[in-house]
Amino acid sequence: MTIKGMVKGRRNMLGRYVGKWFYDKRIPFDIANSPYFPPIVNAIQRAGPGVKPPMTYELSGPILDEEVEEVKKWIEEYKQSWPRTSITLTSDGWLNKVRKKEFVNFLTYSPKGTAFLSSKDLSGTKKAANFYV
């Protein structure tokens, strides 16, 4: 078998395993277009045989904690850019019909990107003329 044929065979095997994972967990196929998808495949390849994938407790604990810290740092850098770039404050209201709760989300937009600020539960709040002031 040629090297090209071996690579094609390995790629097919990779595709089958990735596909099984997508199908089993009902992961939308467009996730493969995520900018994070190719790096995860590369990281798995670099890790090599014998390296065990992260366990549930690692994903929901220390790994998640590291990602939260990274996002907090990004948001702090983002906020520091506001005096130079200015921001647009946006809000988006939505209704959870099942739980009969009303929410409004507050986000900021600037040339550096968009960030979520907070979400408020407005259920049971009287929406009089001065409500939004």
Side-chain angles (χ1 to χ4, degrees), residues 94-96 100-104 120-124 127:
W94 59 282
L95 173 66
N96 181 326
K100 296 185 172 48
K101 291 195 172 264
E102 296 175 75
F103 297 92
V104 65
K120 302 292 179 196
D121 182 351
L122 302 180
S123 305
K127 283 117 188 133

Side-chain angles (χ1 to χ4, degrees), residues 6 13 45 51 59 65 70 84 86 88 116-117 125:
M6 288 172 51
M13 182 184 66
Q45 291 169 333
V51 176
L59 290 168
D65 293 342
E70 187 174 316
R84 294 186 314 277
S86 75
T88 301
F116 171 83
L117 289 178
T125 305

